[in-house]
Amino acid sequence: MSDEKKVSNAEASEFFYPSDEIVSNAHIKDYDSVYKRSIEDPEGFWAEEAEKLEWFRKWDKVFDDSNAPFYKWFVGGKINIVHNAVDRHLKTWRRNKIAMIWEGEPGDVKVMSYHALNREICKTANVLKSMGVNKGDIVTIYMPQIPELAITMLACVKIGAAHSVVYGGFSVEALADRIASANSRVLVTADGGWRRGKVTDLKSIANEAMDRSPTIEVCITVKRTGHDVHMENDRDFWYHDLMALPIASPRCATEVMDAEDMLFILFTSGTTGKPKGLVHTHGGYQVFTATSHKYVFDIKDEDRWWCAADPGWITGHSYLVYSPLVNGSTIMMYEGAPNHPYPNRWWNMVEKYGITILYTSPTAIRGLMRFGDQWPRRHDLSSLRLLGSVGEPINPEAWRWYHKNIGADKCPIMDTWWQTETGGFMICPLPVTPLKPGSATKPFFGVQVGVIDEDGNEVAAGEEGKLVIKRPTPGMARTILGDPERYEDTYWKEYAEQGWYKAGDSARIDEDGYIWVIGRIDDVIKVSGYRLGTAEVESALVSYPDVSEAAAIALPHELKGNAIHVYCILKAGVKGDQKMANDIKKHVSSEIGPIAKPEEVHFLESLPKTRSGKIMRRVLKARALGIDEGDLSTLEE
Ligand code: WT7
């Protein structure tokens, strides 16, 4: 099923236990009993957690499965996530608590209290209103990691609009596609951002994307870098100009939303076709993300929480912006590269701001690990209490380095398995859980998982199978924007009878009940933790003039986890050479974004296909790895 390295039994039986201090301070001291309750009475469990938030009107029904798989939660409830993330804190001492500490790559710093954050959100919300943004609209946001990104997200939501954040690392084609799918009238962007001492020219990319996007009428641009950019008359406005107008009043009412109203859409890559816009909603999403954030990272008021993910991905939505603010935390946000100007940049910030919890990805850890322990050793990291990991399986070597050098052998690592679709953590430890490096451990409260074989039967302990989620949870995406059928087909159809959700990953469960997620089994590639579809890469490849057919696969890579390798068939009479290979790499990178840049380009005469014409990527992969090609009975050659 997968060719990832198997973890030996010796590794699988090694436990790391939390200290007494961690256990005695934890919100949840006994996982088993709370888990049992959450499974026996999920509606009661979630209702109890939902009670901890403020509702404009309480729900009539916790869970509604009358139109499966289009499940609903907290039906009839009225709420707005901004009310819980910001407004309600203003009534308490938290008004003057620091909501956000932000550091730009050049070293500039902004610190904002909840009071100040609220003013910025209100002003921006009024600006958006004056630009004709209405309840139900989808505003596309394309920005670097600057405070205005979070502020714009919250401002949209405050007035009942939804946002679609497009990761600032994406390029023209990816942005234009997403604007079109969301039907956005308004785009909020920035002139650029700082990355490794250089300016990323977001506005030029946005301008090019807007040339392909007839729906856009208004573009608001935040001035971040100050470099020269082209502004189009009647379409383009500077954010700071609008924020200086009387219309940008610091007072704005928070719209009352239905629990099931759309909060945001976020595009993610699938097996086939264009990326799909997953729809998340106000009610269940905030209950689920706030609960999981609080219990898994044991959030206390004195914490300084740093989720080092980009807000352009689900991790940034759920655990950088929304749930930490709902929990009244102080959040840290950093604009730039982890190793700029030196590989101690992150450790310097942990020390400087007294960060207590750091949540990042295996790829970032591996990237910093390669510079050696002398960089973290220069800093006092003793403020750290807990660490986290997300995005792909963490290899035990990186786990140990992170645990020892960053966590001083005392900070437990919360390895959280989840997906854009699930909204929040599905499989993860609590601080009190004994850990095994490389295992995301146990299901979170209310989550039931299974690992099954081809016939849908549970596999034996230690055996690999397909990961399924056996019941819906409140934070799951409700549908795919404009394509409910695809939502049903992709996730729920295969196990419709049992009502299970297909995760698309393979996994195994060991004798101790610990879950080991192995990786994707579909045509989704995880590069540096980022998710890309082979279909997207292939579509970019065939848009290169000389390429007539192409296939993309993932091969293991020391830093990135996986790297993209592509195979191209060229048009008749054309010969491929190194120059063309480099050109093709550049082309893919400018169409989708640098993360999609192929590691290697190979030229072939033909691709292995099934008789029905489907490319057999697993055969290409087996050949590249020099391993058994498996069952070739459907191969056409
Ligand atoms: C896929 C989902 C969840 C936020 C970031 C990724 C892989 C994610 C882990 C983990 C092993 C993991 C899976 C999953 N994945 N976290 N802790 N251990 N694999 O969200 O981009 O929607 O990707 O990421 O393959 O299916 P995403």
Side-chain angles (χ1 to χ4, degrees), residues 314-315 391-393 415-420 505 520 526 531:
I314 191 69
T315 312
E392 56 182 314
D415 179 358
T416 59
W417 178 90
W418 57 294
Q419 308 177 304
T420 307
D505 279 3
R520 300 293 307 193
K526 281 253 132 179
R531 181 164 157 183

Side-chain angles (χ1 to χ4, degrees), residues 44-345:
F45 176 83
W46 290 117
E48 209 170 280
E49 292 303 327
E51 297 275 3
K52 296 172 187 168
L53 299 174
E54 283 185 8
W55 296 75
F56 300 124
R57 179 186 185 274
K58 228 181 119 169
W59 56 89
D60 303 312
K61 202 167 187 261
V62 176
F63 179 57
D64 176 3
D65 61 354
S66 59
N67 186 26
F70 300 96
Y71 303 103
K72 290 186 178 148
W73 291 84
F74 307 106
V75 184
K78 300 281 182 194
I79 197 164
N80 186 319
I81 197 167
V82 172
H83 178 81
N84 281 296
V86 182
D87 305 1
R88 70 166 168 155
H89 302 314
L90 304 178
K91 299 179 281 187
T92 71
W93 67 271
R94 287 201 191 99
R95 173 183 274 273
N96 291 327
K97 179 175 173 173
I98 297 174
M100 186 195 288
I101 302 170
W102 172 84
E103 191 170 300
E105 200 190 71
D108 44 340
V109 176
K110 272 190 192 163
V111 179
M112 246 181 281
S113 64
Y114 275 89
H115 171 84
L117 177 63
N118 177 59
R119 285 175 63 88
E120 294 301 307
I121 295 167
C122 288
K123 285 169 69 86
T124 308
N126 285 321
V127 163
L128 291 171
K129 268 192 191 169
S130 76
M131 289 293 163
V133 174
N134 289 315
K135 190 169 176 174
D137 290 352
I138 304 175
V139 173
T140 297
I141 303 176
Y142 180 63
M143 275 206 227
Q145 284 207 59
I146 53 176
E148 289 82 354
L149 170 50
I151 289 163
T152 306
M153 289 164 74
L154 293 157
C156 289
V157 171
K158 188 174 179 78
I159 60 173
H163 53 71
S164 165
V165 179
V166 179
Y167 168 57
F170 276 136
S171 206
V172 179
E173 181 74 17
L175 176 57
D177 276 355
R178 285 158 176 78
I179 290 172
S181 311
N183 230 335
S184 286
R185 243 192 83 246
V186 176
L187 173 70
V188 186
T189 186
D191 53 354
W194 291 100
R195 189 88 194 168
R196 292 208 173 79
K198 288 201 197 88
V199 164
T200 55
D201 199 0
L202 291 192
K203 180 64 170 135
S204 300
I205 296 173
N207 284 346
E208 242 186 273
M210 283 191 283
D211 288 343
R212 306 188 198 177
S213 307
T215 60
I216 295 289
E217 289 169 21
V218 172
C219 175
I220 302 173
T221 304
V222 175
K223 188 174 265 185
R224 164 68 186 133
T225 60
H227 70 287
D228 257 346
V229 294
H230 171 74
M231 300 285 278
E232 190 85 31
N233 264 344
D234 299 332
R235 182 194 70 189
D236 283 335
F237 301 86
W238 287 107
Y239 178 76
H240 61 268
D241 285 343
L242 298 172
M243 292 287 274
L245 297 174
I247 188 79
S249 144
R251 272 169 296 278
C252 175
T254 298
E255 199 69 34
V256 173
M257 305 298 282
D258 199 274
E260 284 293 317
D261 275 342
M262 177 159 64
L263 167 64
F264 63 80
I265 61 168
L266 190 58
F267 286 90
T268 192
S269 301
T271 317
T272 54
K274 298 253 181 211
K276 43 202 177 192
L278 288 156
V279 177
H280 283 282
T281 53
H282 273 262
Y285 175 83
Q286 63 183 294
V287 174
F288 190 79
T289 55
T291 304
S292 52
H293 178 246
K294 178 173 164 194
Y295 293 147
V296 174
F297 284 100
D298 208 31
I299 299 300
K300 309 279 165 53
D301 252 318
E302 52 272 32
D303 275 317
R304 289 224 164 148
W305 162 259
W306 185 8
C307 166
D310 192 287
W313 301 94
I314 191 69
T315 312
H317 281 58
S318 299
Y319 296 106
L320 194 167
V321 178
Y322 287 113
S323 71
L325 294 178
V326 170
N327 286 328
S329 305
T330 296
I331 64 179
M332 169 76 203
M333 186 170 165
Y334 166 60
E335 177 185 33
N339 59 344
H340 188 83
Y342 301 106
N344 65 331
R345 183 65 187 264

Side-chain angles (χ1 to χ4, degrees), residues 137 139 345 374 409 444-445 492 541 576:
D137 290 352
V139 173
R345 183 65 187 264
Q374 68 272 26
D409 284 319
F444 183 64
F445 302 141
W492 301 97
L541 287 166

